[in-house]
Amino acid sequence: MRHRVAEFAADGAVFPAERVQAVEEPLEIQVNGRVFGTVMRTPGDDVELAIGLLLSAGAITSGDQVFSGEFCPGTNDVGANTYNVLAMTLAPGLKPQAPGGIEAAAAASSLGVCGQSLIDAVCAASAHHVTVAAQDRTLGMTAQLAAEAGRLLGEQRPLFAKTGSTAAAALLDAATGALLVVREDVHQARAVDKVVGWAAADGCIPLAGVVLVISGAADFDGVQTACMAGVSVVVSVGPPTSLAAQLADRAGMTLIAAMPDSSLVSFAGADRLTR
């Protein structure tokens, strides 16, 4: 979207210009006729986003548990469809968990809502991380490939090239280094949801042998989604948050940060990397 702006030059001169902005709009997700939640996102790949969110929340464990996704009628003040309400239908016989299922489980624990209770709730809710953590110890991913992951992702970000304001996530084959999918969004967590939703829709959950690459620092939400999808390795461009590192360690995942000085730092699961 183009927006008229006033630009200020170094000498103090002001002149009109146009800038391309990344679009941010709300998306209401309905599941089986009931509102599941509303998130902010960059429009595009919304069905993938919804599947990723449902997987991350523990409402589903695989893409084949989703029957369909369709936009509901909804218009703006000029009569155009906003495409901001998405109706998801689960496979026959399945009922979605309530929104915030993991957060509710954490709140019900003896610890109350805190970092450790959230970590325990995610690990208990994930149907995939234990198997992947046990079987993926010899993943065979090289440190060189981990170092290259951020550069590979950076070359596949057309929206960022235009706006400078989007995050990105990608799935990368750990053995070959091939990029499988890249998605952008103004919110990093939504970009992660989109790539995981893409994999789920393609029947690739759990994501053993696949690396999640994040364009910025890994946070708790991103590592939670990876854990719920059975991802064993996350590479972030920059150091992760403390809670993200704690979750990765507790879940038996590998969390690597590609640092600005080109060094690599493993915050969890360094034994998966080969030289």
Side-chain angles (χ1 to χ4, degrees), residues 13-33:
V14 182
F15 55 93
E18 280 193 346
R19 291 282 179 173
V20 177
Q21 290 182 293
V23 177
E24 180 183 32
E25 292 187 356
L27 177 68
E28 178 184 294
I29 299 171
Q30 301 177 359
V31 180
N32 289 0

Side-chain angles (χ1 to χ4, degrees), residues 13 15 55 64 115-116 143 152 175 203 231 234-235 241 257 264 267:
F15 55 93
L55 189 73
D64 60 7
Q116 188 58 53
L152 291 171
V231 175
V234 177
V235 176
T241 66
L264 285 181
F267 287 81

Side-chain angles (χ1 to χ4, degrees), residues 64-170:
D64 60 7
Q65 293 177 334
V66 175
F67 178 73
S68 67
E70 297 180 353
F71 285 102
C72 299
T75 58
N76 59 17
D77 54 2
V78 295
N81 195 325
T82 60
Y83 296 101
N84 285 343
V85 180
L86 183 63
M88 305 295 293
T89 303
L90 299 188
L94 287 177
K95 294 182 179 180
Q97 294 184 8
I102 289 175
E103 289 79 2
S109 77
S110 59
L111 296 174
V113 178
C114 67
Q116 188 58 53
S117 65
L118 278 171
I119 289 170
D120 291 343
V122 170
C123 291
S126 177
H128 304 299
H129 91 273
V130 173
T131 300
V132 173
Q135 295 181 354
D136 246 8
R137 303 315 298 185
T138 57
L139 188 65
M141 180 180 180
T142 65
Q144 180 181 359
L145 179 56
E148 285 287 299
R151 182 189 64 79
L152 291 171
L153 176 58
E155 293 175 349
Q156 303 292 326
R157 300 176 61 185
L159 189 56
F160 179 81
K162 293 179 180 178
T163 67
S165 60
T166 57

